[in-house]
Amino acid sequence: MSNGDKVSRRDVLKIGSAGALGITGSYFLNQITPFITTVKAETHGKNNHAKMNHHNNMNDLSKTSGYKMAERLLTTFDYGKVSTLPNGQTLREYEVVAIDKEIEIAKGIKFPGWTYNGTIPGPTFRCTEGDLLRFHFTNKGSHPHSIHFHGIHPPEMDGIVPITSGQKFTYEFEAKPYGMQIYHCHVLPLARHIHKGLYGNFIIDPKTPREPALELNMVMNGFDLDLDGENDFYTVNGYAFAFMNHPIRVKKDQLVRIYLSNLTEFDLINSFHLHANYFTYYPIGRKDNPSLFTDTIMQCQGERGILEMRFPYKGQYMFHAHVSEFAELGWMGFFEVE
């Protein structure tokens, strides 16, 4: 593919729609096949029109680097380096590095991202309400960046001051209130820095632990490959159709808890729909907030919450965005109940 070509979301959508008709056995005909090796989003013009010259069988059961990243982010929580202060308070210290890095977002398709610690989304930071937190931030990227944490903290720790390339800054504050938070870069232009990948989940656990559960981390996001202000792929944890060919395995009647946030740029809302079951949704992850018993929820950008569910039957339960275009462009997966 030459620099003069561009793959539009409509081209990708046509492939996704065709693939949706080809479910084989228990697996979905998954990812967009490698029609390019690397998409150089920085160099594409907005007015070019793409042509899809060829595509192969979309049934891909391999575990690519992009899928492995999405899978790792699903169950990995960063609790920081833990120590105890003289007053008995728990201190958690985290190392965060902004770095430019190409990220595989579908098989053979790479996105020139700006990342925290080399992944999109960034790591899921986790702590307990009342802990003292220190985030040691180093900007090794090519642009000024920052970390803006949602929650309650002193204004000087709010992450609205850019940290230039090569510089460091330590954000220090007490973790509060408990619940589901997020973080992201807050350097102008905001849409650019968020879309490029500088965001992640930030969980503050209550002092009284929640009921034991299989805990899963999910960040809804999108990728605009050609800089036309429209996303070409939609994903959970950064990889299209990650959990279609490799369903998330859970046990029958097991409590499943999902920490879900929406960091999608260029679209007003994103959504989560579960097939053949219902879940309880706790906005901001707090049980003292009014909950909702449903099979579909919507989130605007920056909105987040906790979903809790049990699966009463064995088999595969599909989940996806309840916007058809988002689902067909990558935001779709399965739970495999055993």
Side-chain angles (χ1 to χ4, degrees):
M1 179 170 291
S2 68
N3 287 341
D5 294 328
K6 185 184 78 172
V7 178
S8 73
R9 67 192 293 180
R10 302 302 169 190
D11 291 324
V12 177
L13 183 57
K14 291 176 182 178
I15 296 177
S17 300
L21 300 176
I23 297 178
T24 303
S26 63
Y27 290 106
F28 185 83
L29 290 185
N30 183 344
Q31 295 115 349
I32 306 303
T33 51
F35 53 86
I36 53 175
T37 301
T38 301
V39 176
K40 298 291 187 182
E42 302 289 355
T43 61
H44 281 306
K46 290 187 177 182
N47 297 320
N48 296 326
H49 296 284
K51 294 181 180 179
M52 186 69 69
N53 295 323
H54 68 282
H55 64 275
N56 301 318
N57 190 333
M58 293 171 61
N59 188 15
D60 171 29
L61 304 183
S62 64
K63 292 189 176 182
T64 66
S65 62
Y67 164 75
K68 290 177 181 177
M69 180 187 71
E71 182 183 48
R72 184 172 69 254
L73 291 169
L74 186 69
T75 56
T76 300
F77 302 94
D78 185 350
Y79 290 88
K81 181 181 178 182
V82 182
S83 60
T84 303
L85 297 171
N87 64 358
Q89 185 179 28
T90 297
L91 170 65
R92 297 182 188 272
E93 299 187 76
Y94 305 84
E95 297 293 333
V96 189
V97 180
I99 185 171
D100 299 357
K101 184 179 178 180
E102 285 189 336
I103 300 293
E104 185 181 44
I105 63 171
K107 187 181 177 183
I109 300 175
K110 294 183 180 179
F111 176 77
W114 299 343
T115 75
Y116 292 123
N117 290 2
T119 64
I120 299 177
T124 301
F125 300 120
R126 194 161 183 177
C127 58
T128 300
E129 186 175 34
D131 293 347
L132 182 64
L133 310 180
R134 289 178 185 158
F135 292 89
H136 303 292
F137 176 57
T138 303
N139 184 5
K140 293 185 178 180
S142 57
H143 297 75
H145 296 306
S146 69
I147 311 177
H148 165 63
F149 296 91
H150 286 219
I152 300 173
H153 46 250
E156 60 268 24
M157 295 295 153
D158 199 37
I160 59 174
V161 177
I163 308 302
T164 58
S165 182
Q167 299 301 305
K168 299 180 179 182
F169 184 81
T170 295
Y171 300 94
E172 179 176 321
F173 53 90
E174 188 175 283
K176 60 183 179 182
Y178 91 83
M180 176 74 187
Q181 312 293 349
I182 57 170
Y183 66 93
H184 56 85
C185 184
H186 212 289
V187 174
L188 298 176
L190 294 177
R192 181 77 167 147
H193 285 252
I194 292 176
H195 163 254
K196 290 282 280 184
L198 291 168
Y199 49 77
N201 281 346
F202 171 40
I203 301 167
I204 302 178
D205 289 319
K207 293 181 180 179
T208 300
R210 297 183 179 91
E211 180 181 354
L214 172 63
E215 296 195 319
L216 305 172
N217 177 75
M218 293 187 182
V219 178
M220 300 187 291
N221 57 358
F223 295 95
D224 173 15
L225 301 181
D226 48 37
L227 304 181
D228 65 352
E230 292 187 340
N231 289 312
D232 303 296
F233 286 91
Y234 295 88
T235 81
V236 163
N237 293 358
Y239 191 74
F241 299 111
F243 305 110
M244 291 298 294
N245 285 338
H246 307 285
I248 301 169
R249 298 188 181 276
V250 304
K251 295 179 180 179
K252 179 179 175 293
D253 296 321
Q254 178 183 27
L255 178 62
V256 178
R257 180 177 297 121
I258 300 174
Y259 297 91
L260 179 74
S261 67
N262 176 28
L263 272 302
T264 309
E265 193 58 75
F266 307 128
D267 292 281
L268 294 177
I269 60 171
N270 208 328
S271 57
F272 180 103
H273 169 57
L274 177 64
H275 281 216
N277 201 3
Y278 265 49
F279 54 82
T280 302
Y281 179 64
Y282 301 98
I284 317 298
R286 295 181 61 98
K287 290 198 173 183
D288 53 1
N289 284 341
S291 62
L292 181 66
F293 187 58
T294 182
D295 63 358
T296 306
I297 59 102
M298 295 184 296
Q299 293 181 338
C300 66
Q301 188 193 73
E303 194 169 356
R304 64 274 185 197
I306 290 177
L307 288 62
E308 290 188 346
M309 66 203 74
R310 298 180 191 268
F311 294 90
Y313 306 105
K314 294 181 180 180
Q316 288 196 333
Y317 294 73
M318 179 176 277
F319 63 93
H320 57 82
H322 216 300
V323 176
S324 300
E325 184 177 23
F326 291 16
E328 292 176 349
L329 289 174
W331 182 171
M332 191 182 297
F334 279 115
F335 291 105
E336 180 76 45
V337 181
E338 301 170 334

PDB file of all heavy atoms in Angstrom, residues 58-79:
ATOM      1  N   MET A  58     -10.347 -14.518   7.219  1.00  0.00           N
ATOM      2  CA  MET A  58     -10.309 -13.744   8.449  1.00  0.00           C
ATOM      3  C   MET A  58     -10.266 -14.621   9.690  1.00  0.00           C
ATOM      4  O   MET A  58     -10.188 -14.117  10.803  1.00  0.00           O
ATOM      5  CB  MET A  58     -11.511 -12.818   8.519  1.00  0.00           C
ATOM      6  CG  MET A  58     -11.493 -11.732   7.475  1.00  0.00           C
ATOM      7  SD  MET A  58     -13.038 -10.837   7.419  1.00  0.00           S
ATOM      8  CE  MET A  58     -13.066 -10.182   9.079  1.00  0.00           C
ATOM      9  N   ASN A  59     -10.363 -15.919   9.535  1.00  0.00           N
ATOM     10  CA  ASN A  59     -10.349 -16.822  10.685  1.00  0.00           C
ATOM     11  C   ASN A  59      -8.931 -16.956  11.205  1.00  0.00           C
ATOM     12  O   ASN A  59      -8.114 -17.687  10.667  1.00  0.00           O
ATOM     13  CB  ASN A  59     -10.894 -18.198  10.280  1.00  0.00           C
ATOM     14  CG  ASN A  59     -11.072 -19.096  11.488  1.00  0.00           C
ATOM     15  OD1 ASN A  59     -11.055 -18.630  12.610  1.00  0.00           O
ATOM     16  ND2 ASN A  59     -11.254 -20.378  11.231  1.00  0.00           N
ATOM     17  N   ASP A  60      -8.614 -16.216  12.264  1.00  0.00           N
ATOM     18  CA  ASP A  60      -7.251 -16.169  12.802  1.00  0.00           C
ATOM     19  C   ASP A  60      -7.273 -16.626  14.248  1.00  0.00           C
ATOM     20  O   ASP A  60      -7.828 -15.963  15.110  1.00  0.00           O
ATOM     21  CB  ASP A  60      -6.710 -14.747  12.707  1.00  0.00           C
ATOM     22  CG  ASP A  60      -5.381 -14.584  13.436  1.00  0.00           C
ATOM     23  OD1 ASP A  60      -4.643 -15.587  13.515  1.00  0.00           O
ATOM     24  OD2 ASP A  60      -5.113 -13.478  13.918  1.00  0.00           O
ATOM     25  N   LEU A  61      -6.689 -17.775  14.537  1.00  0.00           N
ATOM     26  CA  LEU A  61      -6.674 -18.310  15.888  1.00  0.00           C
ATOM     27  C   LEU A  61      -5.345 -18.070  16.577  1.00  0.00           C
ATOM     28  O   LEU A  61      -5.123 -18.560  17.677  1.00  0.00           O
ATOM     29  CB  LEU A  61      -6.987 -19.812  15.857  1.00  0.00           C
ATOM     30  CG  LEU A  61      -8.318 -20.193  15.170  1.00  0.00           C
ATOM     31  CD1 LEU A  61      -8.540 -21.691  15.269  1.00  0.00           C
ATOM     32  CD2 LEU A  61      -9.480 -19.459  15.795  1.00  0.00           C
ATOM     33  N   SER A  62      -4.435 -17.344  15.949  1.00  0.00           N
ATOM     34  CA  SER A  62      -3.124 -17.124  16.537  1.00  0.00           C
ATOM     35  C   SER A  62      -3.200 -16.075  17.634  1.00  0.00           C
ATOM     36  O   SER A  62      -4.076 -15.219  17.651  1.00  0.00           O
ATOM     37  CB  SER A  62      -2.130 -16.670  15.463  1.00  0.00           C
ATOM     38  OG  SER A  62      -2.530 -15.412  14.943  1.00  0.00           O
ATOM     39  N   LYS A  63      -2.274 -16.162  18.574  1.00  0.00           N
ATOM     40  CA  LYS A  63      -2.170 -15.174  19.641  1.00  0.00           C
ATOM     41  C   LYS A  63      -1.077 -14.187  19.268  1.00  0.00           C
ATOM     42  O   LYS A  63       0.101 -14.434  19.487  1.00  0.00           O
ATOM     43  CB  LYS A  63      -1.895 -15.860  20.981  1.00  0.00           C
ATOM     44  CG  LYS A  63      -3.066 -16.702  21.478  1.00  0.00           C
ATOM     45  CD  LYS A  63      -2.843 -17.195  22.898  1.00  0.00           C
ATOM     46  CE  LYS A  63      -4.063 -17.946  23.417  1.00  0.00           C
ATOM     47  NZ  LYS A  63      -3.893 -18.391  24.824  1.00  0.00           N
ATOM     48  N   THR A  64      -1.479 -13.066  18.683  1.00  0.00           N
ATOM     49  CA  THR A  64      -0.529 -12.052  18.237  1.00  0.00           C
ATOM     50  C   THR A  64      -0.064 -11.220  19.426  1.00  0.00           C
ATOM     51  O   THR A  64      -0.602 -11.301  20.526  1.00  0.00           O
ATOM     52  CB  THR A  64      -1.178 -11.140  17.196  1.00  0.00           C
ATOM     53  OG1 THR A  64      -2.229 -10.412  17.841  1.00  0.00           O
ATOM     54  CG2 THR A  64      -1.759 -11.938  16.041  1.00  0.00           C
ATOM     55  N   SER A  65       0.925 -10.364  19.182  1.00  0.00           N
ATOM     56  CA  SER A  65       1.422  -9.502  20.252  1.00  0.00           C
ATOM     57  C   SER A  65       0.334  -8.567  20.747  1.00  0.00           C
ATOM     58  O   SER A  65       0.234  -8.279  21.943  1.00  0.00           O
ATOM     59  CB  SER A  65       2.632  -8.706  19.764  1.00  0.00           C
ATOM     60  OG  SER A  65       2.271  -7.862  18.680  1.00  0.00           O
ATOM     61  N   GLY A  66      -0.512  -8.089  19.836  1.00  0.00           N
ATOM     62  CA  GLY A  66      -1.599  -7.204  20.232  1.00  0.00           C
ATOM     63  C   GLY A  66      -2.610  -7.910  21.109  1.00  0.00           C
ATOM     64  O   GLY A  66      -3.076  -7.361  22.113  1.00  0.00           O
ATOM     65  N   TYR A  67      -2.962  -9.152  20.741  1.00  0.00           N
ATOM     66  CA  TYR A  67      -3.893  -9.908  21.572  1.00  0.00           C
ATOM     67  C   TYR A  67      -3.298 -10.177  22.945  1.00  0.00           C
ATOM     68  O   TYR A  67      -3.979 -10.051  23.969  1.00  0.00           O
ATOM     69  CB  TYR A  67      -4.273 -11.241  20.920  1.00  0.00           C
ATOM     70  CG  TYR A  67      -4.910 -12.162  21.924  1.00  0.00           C
ATOM     71  CD1 TYR A  67      -6.220 -11.953  22.338  1.00  0.00           C
ATOM     72  CD2 TYR A  67      -4.187 -13.189  22.521  1.00  0.00           C
ATOM     73  CE1 TYR A  67      -6.803 -12.754  23.313  1.00  0.00           C
ATOM     74  CE2 TYR A  67      -4.746 -13.988  23.495  1.00  0.00           C
ATOM     75  CZ  TYR A  67      -6.065 -13.775  23.884  1.00  0.00           C
ATOM     76  OH  TYR A  67      -6.617 -14.560  24.858  1.00  0.00           O
ATOM     77  N   LYS A  68      -2.029 -10.553  22.986  1.00  0.00           N
ATOM     78  CA  LYS A  68      -1.390 -10.848  24.271  1.00  0.00           C
ATOM     79  C   LYS A  68      -1.402  -9.629  25.183  1.00  0.00           C
ATOM     80  O   LYS A  68      -1.574  -9.748  26.402  1.00  0.00           O
ATOM     81  CB  LYS A  68       0.031 -11.347  24.046  1.00  0.00           C
ATOM     82  CG  LYS A  68       0.095 -12.735  23.415  1.00  0.00           C
ATOM     83  CD  LYS A  68       1.536 -13.169  23.151  1.00  0.00           C
ATOM     84  CE  LYS A  68       1.577 -14.541  22.504  1.00  0.00           C
ATOM     85  NZ  LYS A  68       2.965 -14.958  22.183  1.00  0.00           N
ATOM     86  N   MET A  69      -1.230  -8.434  24.601  1.00  0.00           N
ATOM     87  CA  MET A  69      -1.299  -7.209  25.395  1.00  0.00           C
ATOM     88  C   MET A  69      -2.699  -7.038  25.959  1.00  0.00           C
ATOM     89  O   MET A  69      -2.876  -6.744  27.149  1.00  0.00           O
ATOM     90  CB  MET A  69      -0.920  -6.000  24.552  1.00  0.00           C
ATOM     91  CG  MET A  69      -0.973  -4.681  25.309  1.00  0.00           C
ATOM     92  SD  MET A  69      -0.705  -3.228  24.256  1.00  0.00           S
ATOM     93  CE  MET A  69      -2.255  -3.214  23.327  1.00  0.00           C
ATOM     94  N   ALA A  70      -3.723  -7.215  25.123  1.00  0.00           N
ATOM     95  CA  ALA A  70      -5.109  -7.059  25.574  1.00  0.00           C
ATOM     96  C   ALA A  70      -5.440  -8.065  26.662  1.00  0.00           C
ATOM     97  O   ALA A  70      -6.111  -7.737  27.649  1.00  0.00           O
ATOM     98  CB  ALA A  70      -6.054  -7.214  24.389  1.00  0.00           C
ATOM     99  N   GLU A  71      -4.973  -9.288  26.497  1.00  0.00           N
ATOM    100  CA  GLU A  71      -5.225 -10.342  27.491  1.00  0.00           C
ATOM    101  C   GLU A  71      -4.537 -10.021  28.809  1.00  0.00           C
ATOM    102  O   GLU A  71      -5.110 -10.198  29.891  1.00  0.00           O
ATOM    103  CB  GLU A  71      -4.732 -11.679  26.946  1.00  0.00           C
ATOM    104  CG  GLU A  71      -4.983 -12.853  27.889  1.00  0.00           C
ATOM    105  CD  GLU A  71      -4.408 -14.148  27.351  1.00  0.00           C
ATOM    106  OE1 GLU A  71      -3.228 -14.136  26.928  1.00  0.00           O
ATOM    107  OE2 GLU A  71      -5.120 -15.158  27.349  1.00  0.00           O
ATOM    108  N   ARG A  72      -3.304  -9.538  28.735  1.00  0.00           N
ATOM    109  CA  ARG A  72      -2.557  -9.202  29.946  1.00  0.00           C
ATOM    110  C   ARG A  72      -3.235  -8.057  30.691  1.00  0.00           C
ATOM    111  O   ARG A  72      -3.371  -8.089  31.922  1.00  0.00           O
ATOM    112  CB  ARG A  72      -1.123  -8.830  29.589  1.00  0.00           C
ATOM    113  CG  ARG A  72      -0.245  -8.549  30.805  1.00  0.00           C
ATOM    114  CD  ARG A  72       1.201  -8.376  30.417  1.00  0.00           C
ATOM    115  NE  ARG A  72       1.456  -7.164  29.654  1.00  0.00           N
ATOM    116  CZ  ARG A  72       1.702  -7.114  28.354  1.00  0.00           C
ATOM    117  NH1 ARG A  72       1.737  -8.230  27.636  1.00  0.00           N
ATOM    118  NH2 ARG A  72       1.932  -5.961  27.748  1.00  0.00           N
ATOM    119  N   LEU A  73      -3.683  -7.041  29.962  1.00  0.00           N
ATOM    120  CA  LEU A  73      -4.343  -5.900  30.598  1.00  0.00           C
ATOM    121  C   LEU A  73      -5.670  -6.297  31.236  1.00  0.00           C
ATOM    122  O   LEU A  73      -6.148  -5.626  32.153  1.00  0.00           O
ATOM    123  CB  LEU A  73      -4.576  -4.793  29.568  1.00  0.00           C
ATOM    124  CG  LEU A  73      -3.312  -4.087  29.063  1.00  0.00           C
ATOM    125  CD1 LEU A  73      -3.647  -3.205  27.866  1.00  0.00           C
ATOM    126  CD2 LEU A  73      -2.669  -3.263  30.168  1.00  0.00           C
ATOM    127  N   LEU A  74      -6.258  -7.388  30.772  1.00  0.00           N
ATOM    128  CA  LEU A  74      -7.548  -7.838  31.295  1.00  0.00           C
ATOM    129  C   LEU A  74      -7.461  -8.227  32.767  1.00  0.00           C
ATOM    130  O   LEU A  74      -8.404  -7.984  33.538  1.00  0.00           O
ATOM    131  CB  LEU A  74      -8.044  -9.026  30.463  1.00  0.00           C
ATOM    132  CG  LEU A  74      -9.445  -9.556  30.774  1.00  0.00           C
ATOM    133  CD1 LEU A  74     -10.511  -8.546  30.362  1.00  0.00           C
ATOM    134  CD2 LEU A  74      -9.669 -10.894  30.048  1.00  0.00           C
ATOM    135  N   THR A  75      -6.349  -8.815  33.176  1.00  0.00           N
ATOM    136  CA  THR A  75      -6.259  -9.378  34.530  1.00  0.00           C
ATOM    137  C   THR A  75      -5.067  -8.872  35.341  1.00  0.00           C
ATOM    138  O   THR A  75      -4.828  -9.355  36.442  1.00  0.00           O
ATOM    139  CB  THR A  75      -6.186 -10.914  34.459  1.00  0.00           C
ATOM    140  OG1 THR A  75      -5.088 -11.305  33.635  1.00  0.00           O
ATOM    141  CG2 THR A  75      -7.481 -11.499  33.892  1.00  0.00           C
ATOM    142  N   THR A  76      -4.311  -7.914  34.814  1.00  0.00           N
ATOM    143  CA  THR A  76      -3.117  -7.417  35.505  1.00  0.00           C
ATOM    144  C   THR A  76      -3.402  -6.069  36.155  1.00  0.00           C
ATOM    145  O   THR A  76      -3.862  -5.137  35.495  1.00  0.00           O
ATOM    146  CB  THR A  76      -1.939  -7.277  34.525  1.00  0.00           C
ATOM    147  OG1 THR A  76      -1.648  -8.552  33.952  1.00  0.00           O
ATOM    148  CG2 THR A  76      -0.701  -6.777  35.255  1.00  0.00           C
ATOM    149  N   PHE A  77      -3.116  -5.978  37.450  1.00  0.00           N
ATOM    150  CA  PHE A  77      -3.299  -4.741  38.201  1.00  0.00           C
ATOM    151  C   PHE A  77      -1.958  -4.347  38.814  1.00  0.00           C
ATOM    152  O   PHE A  77      -1.255  -5.181  39.390  1.00  0.00           O
ATOM    153  CB  PHE A  77      -4.349  -4.929  39.298  1.00  0.00           C
ATOM    154  CG  PHE A  77      -5.686  -5.380  38.778  1.00  0.00           C
ATOM    155  CD1 PHE A  77      -6.010  -6.736  38.728  1.00  0.00           C
ATOM    156  CD2 PHE A  77      -6.625  -4.468  38.316  1.00  0.00           C
ATOM    157  CE1 PHE A  77      -7.233  -7.166  38.246  1.00  0.00           C
ATOM    158  CE2 PHE A  77      -7.848  -4.880  37.826  1.00  0.00           C
ATOM    159  CZ  PHE A  77      -8.167  -6.243  37.790  1.00  0.00           C
ATOM    160  N   ASP A  78      -1.610  -3.066  38.708  1.00  0.00           N
ATOM    161  CA  ASP A  78      -0.353  -2.561  39.238  1.00  0.00           C
ATOM    162  C   ASP A  78      -0.606  -1.953  40.616  1.00  0.00           C
ATOM    163  O   ASP A  78      -1.202  -0.878  40.737  1.00  0.00           O
ATOM    164  CB  ASP A  78       0.222  -1.517  38.278  1.00  0.00           C
ATOM    165  CG  ASP A  78       1.602  -1.015  38.698  1.00  0.00           C
ATOM    166  OD1 ASP A  78       2.032  -1.330  39.827  1.00  0.00           O
ATOM    167  OD2 ASP A  78       2.237  -0.299  37.901  1.00  0.00           O
ATOM    168  N   TYR A  79      -0.146  -2.649  41.657  1.00  0.00           N
ATOM    169  CA  TYR A  79      -0.343  -2.186  43.034  1.00  0.00           C
ATOM    170  C   TYR A  79       0.823  -1.317  43.517  1.00  0.00           C
ATOM    171  O   TYR A  79       0.810  -0.862  44.662  1.00  0.00           O
ATOM    172  CB  TYR A  79      -0.518  -3.378  43.966  1.00  0.00           C
ATOM    173  CG  TYR A  79      -1.822  -4.122  43.783  1.00  0.00           C
ATOM    174  CD1 TYR A  79      -1.936  -5.153  42.859  1.00  0.00           C
ATOM    175  CD2 TYR A  79      -2.945  -3.782  44.532  1.00  0.00           C
ATOM    176  CE1 TYR A  79      -3.133  -5.841  42.690  1.00  0.00           C
ATOM    177  CE2 TYR A  79      -4.150  -4.458  44.369  1.00  0.00           C
ATOM    178  CZ  TYR A  79      -4.243  -5.490  43.441  1.00  0.00           C
ATOM    179  OH  TYR A  79      -5.429  -6.167  43.277  1.00  0.00           O
TER     180      TYR A  79
END
